[in-house]
Amino acid sequence: MQIGMTLPTMVGGLTRDGLRVWADRIDQGPYSTLAVGERITYPNLEALVTLSAAAALTARVRIAYTLAVRPLHRPVQLAKQLATLDVISGGRLDVGIGTGGRDEDCSAIDAPIDRRLAPLEALADRLRRTWRGEPPYEGASPVGPTPVQAGGPPLYVGALMPQAIRRAARWADGLLGFSFAPDPGEVTVAFEHARRAWAELGRPAPRLVTSCWFALGADARSQMDGYVTRYLATFGAEMAASMAPACTLTSSERLREVAQQIRDCGADELLLVPTTTDPDEVDRVADLLG
């Protein structure tokens, strides 16, 4: 199982110098992937801009968009942005797409609140057709650039529910999940749904990725509690406060345990999501897991 690391954009306060340090340590460390997530009504750095900077600052790790929220994007424009990012990264881009779960983000940019699964499949199809050089409409010129990766970057579904996972087997290259605790039972069930759905369609086995928040510093528990409470505040203060104790990856012993549990679930990759901008977290994980 590979281990990836997410940039701490959701913590807030990440500076230019901080971004450079995090990107360098991830690229020089034992990590497979550098990932960035997406929010609008939050003090995070914008995802595509940050991924572009990270792609230019690194040379080895995969660059993962975790994930593009479909209602927030125009399909052809997103295809062009992702193709550009694949070029800048030298063909290292992975892309997760999902319906999202925060109405506030959609409302902030006058985007429709739409969690239907069919448009997600349509987006994947439009991205791939654009990357193949098909014009956006009859008589138009093709949209470039051509991605470095043949056929375009791999597309993963950001999904937790069985119905969404089964539907994604028709178009996705794999599953991009998340678990709060993390809970190996929850992860195993999602992976089993994915394996079964892909097999029923006669498709190659999906790449299985999951992710979770972590904290390893001297004040790890309070660091985790503060982060989760802030991040989930959009769903209400009471709900956010009640979820924080469920996030248990707050020690080196727990990290080792989680890594083994997720490996035993059959994961191809575990993406760790930091709760601080302190770049020493990157080294702490590297020292523990190699």
Coordinates of all heavy atoms in Angstrom, one line a residue, residues 33-38 47-48 51 62-73 78 82 85 92-100 120 123-124 127-128 131 153-159 168 171-177 207 209 269 271:
T33 N 1.9 10.4 -3.4 CA 1.0 11.4 -4.0 C 1.0 12.7 -3.1 O 1.1 12.7 -1.9 CB -0.4 10.9 -4.0 OG1 -0.5 9.7 -4.8 CG2 -1.4 11.9 -4.5
L34 N 0.9 13.8 -3.8 CA 0.6 15.1 -3.1 C -0.8 15.5 -3.6 O -1.1 15.6 -4.8 CB 1.6 16.2 -3.6 CG 1.4 17.6 -3.0 CD1 2.7 18.3 -3.0 CD2 0.4 18.4 -3.8
A35 N -1.7 15.7 -2.6 CA -3.2 15.9 -2.9 C -3.6 17.3 -2.4 O -3.1 17.8 -1.5 CB -4.0 14.8 -2.3
V36 N -4.7 17.8 -3.0 CA -5.3 19.1 -2.6 C -6.8 18.9 -2.8 O -7.3 18.4 -3.9 CB -4.8 20.2 -3.5 CG1 -5.6 21.5 -3.1 CG2 -3.3 20.5 -3.2
G37 N -7.6 19.4 -1.8 CA -9.0 19.3 -1.9 C -9.6 20.7 -2.3 O -8.9 21.6 -2.4
E38 N -11.0 20.7 -2.4 CA -11.7 21.9 -2.9 C -12.8 22.3 -1.9 O -13.6 21.6 -1.4 CB -12.3 21.5 -4.2 CG -13.1 22.7 -4.9 CD -13.4 22.4 -6.3 OE1 -14.2 21.6 -6.6 OE2 -12.8 23.1 -7.2
A47 N -8.0 25.2 -5.2 CA -7.4 23.9 -5.4 C -6.6 23.9 -6.7 O -5.4 23.4 -6.7 CB -8.5 22.9 -5.5
L48 N -7.2 24.3 -7.8 CA -6.4 24.2 -9.1 C -5.2 25.1 -9.2 O -4.2 24.7 -9.7 CB -7.4 24.5 -10.3 CG -8.3 23.4 -10.7 CD1 -9.4 23.9 -11.6 CD2 -7.5 22.3 -11.4
L51 N -2.7 23.3 -6.9 CA -2.1 22.1 -7.6 C -1.1 22.5 -8.7 O -0.1 21.8 -8.9 CB -3.3 21.3 -8.2 CG -4.1 20.5 -7.2 CD1 -5.4 20.0 -7.9 CD2 -3.3 19.3 -6.7
R62 N 2.8 11.8 -7.6 CA 1.6 12.1 -8.3 C 0.9 13.3 -7.7 O 1.1 13.7 -6.6 CB 0.6 10.9 -8.2 CG 1.1 9.6 -8.7 CD 1.2 9.5 -10.2 NE -0.1 9.7 -10.8 CZ -0.3 9.7 -12.2 NH1 0.8 9.6 -13.0 NH2 -1.5 9.8 -12.7
I63 N 0.2 14.0 -8.6 CA -0.6 15.2 -8.1 C -2.0 14.9 -8.2 O -2.6 14.6 -9.3 CB -0.2 16.4 -9.1 CG1 1.3 16.7 -9.1 CG2 -1.0 17.6 -8.7 CD1 1.8 17.1 -7.8
A64 N -2.7 14.9 -7.1 CA -4.1 14.5 -7.0 C -5.1 15.6 -6.6 O -4.9 16.3 -5.6 CB -4.2 13.3 -6.0
Y65 N -6.1 15.7 -7.4 CA -7.2 16.7 -7.2 C -8.3 15.9 -6.4 O -9.0 15.1 -7.0 CB -7.7 17.2 -8.5 CG -8.7 18.3 -8.5 CD1 -9.1 18.9 -9.7 CD2 -9.1 18.9 -7.4 CE1 -9.9 20.0 -9.8 CE2 -10.0 20.0 -7.4 CZ -10.4 20.6 -8.6 OH -11.2 21.7 -8.7
T66 N -8.4 16.2 -5.1 CA -9.3 15.3 -4.3 C -10.4 16.2 -3.5 O -10.3 16.3 -2.3 CB -8.5 14.6 -3.2 OG1 -7.7 15.5 -2.5 CG2 -7.5 13.6 -3.9
L67 N -11.4 16.6 -4.2 CA -11.8 16.2 -5.5 C -12.4 17.4 -6.2 O -12.8 18.4 -5.5 CB -12.7 15.0 -5.5 CG -13.9 15.0 -4.6 CD1 -15.1 15.8 -5.1 CD2 -14.4 13.6 -4.3
A68 N -12.7 17.4 -7.5 CA -13.4 18.4 -8.2 C -14.9 18.2 -8.0 O -15.4 17.1 -8.3 CB -13.1 18.4 -9.7
V69 N -15.6 19.2 -7.4 CA -17.0 19.1 -7.1 C -17.8 19.5 -8.4 O -17.7 20.7 -8.8 CB -17.4 20.0 -5.9 CG1 -18.9 20.0 -5.7 CG2 -16.6 19.6 -4.7
R70 N -18.5 18.6 -9.0 CA -19.0 18.8 -10.3 C -19.9 20.0 -10.5 O -19.6 20.8 -11.5 CB -19.9 17.5 -10.7 CG -20.5 17.6 -12.1 CD -21.6 16.7 -12.3 NE -22.7 16.9 -11.4 CZ -23.6 17.9 -11.6 NH1 -23.5 18.8 -12.6 NH2 -24.6 18.0 -10.7
P71 N -20.8 20.4 -9.6 CA -21.6 21.6 -9.8 C -20.8 22.9 -9.9 O -21.3 23.9 -10.4 CB -22.6 21.6 -8.6 CG -22.6 20.2 -8.2 CD -21.3 19.7 -8.4
L72 N -19.6 22.9 -9.3 CA -18.8 24.1 -9.3 C -18.0 24.4 -10.6 O -17.3 25.4 -10.7 CB -17.8 24.0 -8.1 CG -18.3 23.7 -6.7 CD1 -17.2 23.7 -5.7 CD2 -19.4 24.8 -6.4
H73 N -18.1 23.5 -11.6 CA -17.3 23.6 -12.8 C -18.1 23.5 -14.0 O -19.0 22.7 -14.1 CB -16.2 22.5 -12.7 CG -15.3 22.6 -11.6 ND1 -14.2 23.4 -11.5 CD2 -15.3 21.9 -10.4 CE1 -13.6 23.2 -10.4 NE2 -14.2 22.3 -9.7
L78 N -13.2 22.9 -17.4 CA -12.5 22.0 -16.4 C -11.5 21.1 -17.2 O -10.4 20.8 -16.8 CB -13.5 21.2 -15.6 CG -12.9 20.2 -14.6 CD1 -12.0 21.0 -13.5 CD2 -14.0 19.4 -13.9
L82 N -7.6 20.8 -16.4 CA -7.0 19.6 -16.0 C -5.9 19.1 -17.0 O -4.9 18.6 -16.7 CB -8.0 18.5 -15.8 CG -9.0 18.7 -14.7 CD1 -10.1 17.7 -14.7 CD2 -8.3 18.8 -13.4
L85 N -2.9 21.2 -16.3 CA -2.2 20.7 -15.1 C -1.5 19.4 -15.4 O -0.4 19.1 -14.9 CB -3.3 20.5 -14.0 CG -2.8 20.1 -12.7 CD1 -1.7 21.0 -12.2 CD2 -4.0 20.1 -11.7
R92 N 1.5 13.6 -14.3 CA 1.5 13.0 -13.0 C 0.1 13.2 -12.3 O -0.1 13.0 -11.1 CB 2.5 13.6 -12.1 CG 4.0 13.2 -12.4 CD 5.0 13.8 -11.5 NE 5.2 15.2 -11.7 CZ 5.3 16.1 -10.8 NH1 5.1 15.8 -9.5 NH2 5.5 17.4 -11.1
L93 N -0.9 13.7 -13.1 CA -2.2 14.1 -12.5 C -3.2 12.9 -12.3 O -3.4 12.1 -13.2 CB -2.8 15.2 -13.3 CG -4.2 15.7 -12.8 CD1 -4.0 16.4 -11.5 CD2 -4.7 16.7 -13.9
D94 N -3.8 12.9 -11.1 CA -5.0 12.0 -10.9 C -6.1 12.9 -10.5 O -5.9 13.9 -9.8 CB -4.7 11.0 -9.7 CG -3.7 10.0 -10.1 OD1 -3.7 9.5 -11.2 OD2 -2.8 9.7 -9.2
V95 N -7.3 12.6 -10.9 CA -8.5 13.5 -10.7 C -9.6 12.7 -10.0 O -10.1 11.7 -10.6 CB -9.0 14.1 -12.0 CG1 -10.2 15.0 -11.8 CG2 -7.9 14.9 -12.7
G96 N -10.1 13.2 -8.9 CA -11.3 12.7 -8.3 C -12.4 13.7 -8.6 O -12.3 14.9 -8.6
I97 N -13.6 13.1 -8.9 CA -14.8 14.0 -9.1 C -15.9 13.4 -8.3 O -16.1 12.2 -8.1 CB -15.2 14.1 -10.6 CG1 -15.5 12.7 -11.2 CG2 -14.1 14.8 -11.4 CD1 -16.0 12.8 -12.7
G98 N -16.8 14.4 -7.8 CA -17.9 14.0 -7.0 C -19.0 15.0 -7.0 O -18.8 16.1 -7.6
T99 N -20.1 14.7 -6.4 CA -21.2 15.7 -6.4 C -21.1 16.7 -5.3 O -21.8 17.7 -5.3 CB -22.5 14.9 -6.2 OG1 -22.5 14.2 -4.9 CG2 -22.8 13.9 -7.3
G100 N -20.3 16.5 -4.3 CA -20.1 17.5 -3.2 C -21.2 17.3 -2.2 O -22.2 16.7 -2.4
L120 N -22.7 13.3 -13.1 CA -21.3 13.0 -12.8 C -20.7 12.1 -13.9 O -19.6 12.3 -14.4 CB -21.2 12.3 -11.5 CG -19.9 12.2 -10.7 CD1 -19.4 13.6 -10.4 CD2 -20.0 11.4 -9.5
L123 N -20.1 14.2 -16.9 CA -18.9 15.0 -16.8 C -17.7 14.2 -17.2 O -16.8 14.6 -17.9 CB -18.8 15.5 -15.4 CG -17.4 16.2 -15.1 CD1 -17.2 17.4 -16.0 CD2 -17.4 16.6 -13.6
A124 N -17.6 12.9 -16.7 CA -16.5 12.1 -17.0 C -16.4 11.9 -18.5 O -15.3 11.9 -19.1 CB -16.6 10.8 -16.3
L127 N -15.2 15.1 -20.2 CA -13.7 15.3 -20.0 C -12.9 14.5 -21.0 O -12.0 14.9 -21.7 CB -13.4 15.0 -18.6 CG -13.9 15.9 -17.5 CD1 -13.5 15.3 -16.1 CD2 -13.3 17.3 -17.6
R128 N -13.3 13.2 -21.1 CA -12.5 12.3 -21.9 C -12.6 12.6 -23.4 O -11.7 12.5 -24.1 CB -12.9 10.8 -21.6 CG -12.4 10.4 -20.2 CD -12.8 9.0 -19.9 NE -12.2 8.5 -18.7 CZ -12.8 7.8 -17.7 NH1 -14.1 7.6 -17.8 NH2 -12.1 7.4 -16.6
W131 N -10.5 15.6 -24.1 CA -9.1 15.2 -24.1 C -8.7 14.4 -25.3 O -7.5 14.4 -25.8 CB -8.7 14.4 -22.8 CG -8.8 15.2 -21.6 CD1 -8.7 16.5 -21.4 CD2 -9.1 14.7 -20.2 NE1 -8.8 16.9 -20.1 CE2 -9.1 15.8 -19.4 CE3 -9.3 13.4 -19.7 CZ2 -9.3 15.7 -18.0 CZ3 -9.6 13.3 -18.4 CH2 -9.6 14.4 -17.5
P153 N -5.9 12.2 -17.7 CA -5.6 11.7 -16.3 C -6.6 10.6 -15.9 O -7.8 10.7 -16.3 CB -5.7 12.9 -15.5 CG -5.6 14.1 -16.4 CD -6.1 13.6 -17.7
P154 N -6.2 9.7 -15.0 CA -7.2 8.8 -14.4 C -8.3 9.5 -13.7 O -8.0 10.5 -13.0 CB -6.3 7.9 -13.5 CG -4.9 8.1 -14.0 CD -4.9 9.4 -14.6
L155 N -9.5 9.0 -13.7 CA -10.6 9.6 -13.0 C -11.1 8.7 -11.9 O -11.4 7.5 -12.2 CB -11.8 9.9 -14.0 CG -11.5 11.0 -15.1 CD1 -12.7 11.1 -16.0 CD2 -11.1 12.3 -14.5
Y156 N -11.2 9.2 -10.7 CA -11.7 8.5 -9.6 C -13.1 9.1 -9.1 O -13.2 10.3 -9.2 CB -10.7 8.5 -8.4 CG -9.4 7.9 -8.8 CD1 -8.4 8.6 -9.5 CD2 -9.2 6.6 -8.5 CE1 -7.2 8.0 -9.8 CE2 -8.0 6.0 -8.8 CZ -7.0 6.7 -9.5 OH -5.8 6.1 -9.8
V157 N -13.9 8.3 -8.6 CA -15.2 8.8 -8.0 C -15.0 9.0 -6.6 O -14.5 8.2 -5.8 CB -16.3 7.8 -8.3 CG1 -16.1 6.5 -7.6 CG2 -17.6 8.4 -7.8
G158 N -15.4 10.2 -6.1 CA -15.4 10.5 -4.7 C -16.8 10.1 -4.2 O -17.8 10.9 -4.3
A159 N -16.9 8.9 -3.6 CA -18.2 8.4 -3.2 C -18.1 7.6 -2.0 O -17.0 6.9 -1.7 CB -18.8 7.6 -4.3
A168 N -20.7 4.4 -10.5 CA -19.4 4.9 -11.0 C -18.6 3.8 -11.7 O -17.6 4.1 -12.4 CB -18.6 5.4 -9.8
W171 N -17.8 4.2 -15.3 CA -16.9 5.2 -15.9 C -15.6 5.5 -15.2 O -14.6 5.9 -15.7 CB -17.6 6.5 -16.1 CG -18.1 7.1 -14.8 CD1 -19.4 6.9 -14.3 CD2 -17.4 7.9 -13.8 NE1 -19.5 7.6 -13.1 CE2 -18.3 8.2 -12.8 CE3 -16.1 8.4 -13.8 CZ2 -17.9 9.0 -11.7 CZ3 -15.7 9.2 -12.7 CH2 -16.6 9.5 -11.7
A172 N -15.6 5.2 -13.9 CA -14.4 5.6 -13.1 C -13.3 4.5 -13.1 O -13.5 3.3 -13.4 CB -14.8 5.8 -11.6
D173 N -12.0 5.0 -12.9 CA -10.9 4.1 -12.8 C -10.7 3.6 -11.4 O -9.8 2.7 -11.2 CB -9.6 4.9 -13.3 CG -9.7 5.3 -14.8 OD1 -9.9 4.4 -15.6 OD2 -9.6 6.5 -15.0
G174 N -11.3 4.2 -10.5 CA -11.2 3.7 -9.1 C -12.0 4.5 -8.1 O -12.8 5.4 -8.5
L175 N -11.9 4.2 -6.9 CA -12.7 4.8 -5.8 C -11.8 5.7 -4.9 O -10.7 5.3 -4.5 CB -13.3 3.7 -4.9 CG -14.1 4.1 -3.7 CD1 -15.3 4.9 -4.1 CD2 -14.5 2.9 -2.9
L176 N -12.3 6.9 -4.6 CA -11.6 7.8 -3.7 C -12.5 8.0 -2.5 O -13.5 8.8 -2.6 CB -11.3 9.1 -4.4 CG -10.6 10.2 -3.6 CD1 -9.3 9.8 -3.1 CD2 -10.5 11.5 -4.5
G177 N -12.2 7.4 -1.4 CA -13.1 7.5 -0.2 C -12.5 8.3 0.9 O -11.4 8.8 0.9
R207 N -8.8 0.9 -8.8 CA -7.8 1.4 -7.8 C -8.6 1.9 -6.6 O -9.5 2.7 -6.7 CB -6.9 2.4 -8.4 CG -5.8 2.9 -7.4 CD -4.8 3.8 -8.1 NE -3.9 4.4 -7.2 CZ -2.9 3.9 -6.6 NH1 -2.6 2.6 -6.9 NH2 -2.1 4.5 -5.8
V209 N -8.6 3.8 -3.0 CA -8.0 4.8 -2.2 C -8.9 5.3 -1.2 O -10.1 5.5 -1.4 CB -7.5 6.0 -3.1 CG1 -6.8 7.0 -2.3 CG2 -6.7 5.5 -4.3
E269 N -3.9 2.7 -1.8 CA -3.3 3.9 -1.3 C -4.1 4.5 -0.1 O -5.3 4.5 -0.1 CB -3.1 5.0 -2.4 CG -2.4 6.2 -2.0 CD -2.1 7.2 -3.2 OE1 -2.9 7.2 -4.1 OE2 -1.0 7.8 -3.2
L271 N -4.4 8.2 1.7 CA -4.1 9.6 1.7 C -4.3 10.2 3.1 O -5.4 10.2 3.6 CB -5.0 10.4 0.7 CG -4.8 10.0 -0.8 CD1 -5.8 10.8 -1.7 CD2 -3.4 10.3 -1.3

